[in-house]
Amino acid sequence: MEPTSLTTERLLLRPFTTSDAAALHAACQDPDIPRYTSVPSPYTPEDARSFIGETCPAGWRDDSVYTWGVFTREEGRLTGSMSLARIPQPSREHQAELGYWTARQQRGRGYTAEAAREVARWAFGRLGVERLEWYAEAGNEGSRAVALKAGFTMEGTLRSKIAHGGTRRDAWVGSLLPSDLGLPSAAPYLPFPGRG
């Protein structure tokens, strides 16, 4: 797929470019980002260049992971990164996973939830996604708050879901359906009648 840019009222979501390498490197010096994501630690300038020049373009090219830099529209300031990963298993057709991090100085402004809603609309409309999933290590209250603000429904805790730093960790899981955003879905949904 060709890399795509998205806009919201306050944000521009666009593929990272080489001119973003210094801002990406600086943001990923925050220890909370590698603590809760797959970002390497320590995060070097070469990591930023490789992510921008190799990892991100490959994801778009092979339709596996679509990654955006999230920037303010007015100042062009990096607020974070957001990725949408297709889930390739046939049993999970038309499903994808949303992942993100927010630069420390930009937290608490609602930018990441705003970007997540726009990526979800794009996934539901452009890709035909019927279920969008979110995972975070249990205890990552910041990521959970973003997911809730974006409209995700929390579904529980998955034991030993995340392998990080040589240790298996529990994960919180949530989902977002097209109907949660008032959008149609190609497949009908039959919820379990006893669902609370």
Side-chain angles (χ1 to χ4, degrees), residues 12-16 67-71 78 80-82:
L12 170 62
L13 287 73
R14 62 167 175 77
F16 283 106
T67 301
W68 294 268
V70 181
F71 300 86
L78 176 66
S81 178
M82 186 157 297

Side-chain angles (χ1 to χ4, degrees), residues 35 37-38 137 160-171:
R35 165 65 181 88
T37 71
S38 59
E137 183 178 328
S160 191
K161 169 71 176 168
I162 298 171
H164 188 75
T167 302
R168 297 207 65 90
R169 302 165 191 265
D170 293 347

Side-chain angles (χ1 to χ4, degrees), residues 7-29:
T7 58
T8 70
E9 181 181 336
R10 302 182 297 162
L11 302 170
L12 170 62
L13 287 73
R14 62 167 175 77
F16 283 106
T17 65
T18 54
S19 64
D20 302 319
L24 178 61
H25 173 256
C28 289
Q29 299 312 298

Side-chain angles (χ1 to χ4, degrees), residues 46-179:
E46 181 52 37
D47 289 323
R49 288 189 294 272
S50 175
F51 182 72
I52 290 169
E54 298 167 23
T55 305
C56 294
W60 283 96
R61 191 170 45 253
D62 65 18
D63 280 324
S64 59
V65 182
Y66 313 109
T67 301
W68 294 268
V70 181
F71 300 86
T72 58
R73 285 178 66 175
E74 288 189 12
E75 302 89 8
R77 188 176 324 121
L78 176 66
T79 69
S81 178
M82 186 157 297
S83 295
L84 180 76
R86 287 185 182 249
I87 300 174
Q89 298 99 326
S91 65
R92 297 178 71 192
E93 187 178 16
H94 300 292
Q95 296 185 53
E97 180 183 340
L98 186 70
Y100 46 79
W101 56 257
T102 308
R104 179 182 296 278
Q105 306 88 322
Q106 305 303 324
R107 293 178 189 152
R109 300 177 188 193
Y111 290 145
T112 307
E114 184 176 325
R117 285 188 297 273
E118 189 61 28
V119 169
R121 282 190 282 272
W122 180 81
F124 295 144
R126 174 72 171 84
L127 301 179
V129 169
E130 295 170 351
R131 176 182 162 86
L132 188 56
E133 298 179 349
W134 160 88
Y135 297 97
E137 183 178 328
N140 187 343
E141 296 287 351
S143 185
R144 185 176 191 271
V146 167
L148 286 167
K149 192 170 182 180
F152 281 77
T153 297
M154 294 299 116
E155 296 179 330
T157 302
L158 301 176
R159 296 183 321 146
S160 191
K161 169 71 176 168
I162 298 171
H164 188 75
T167 302
R168 297 207 65 90
R169 302 165 191 265
D170 293 347
W172 286 332
V173 60
S175 69
L176 186 69
L177 306 179
S179 58

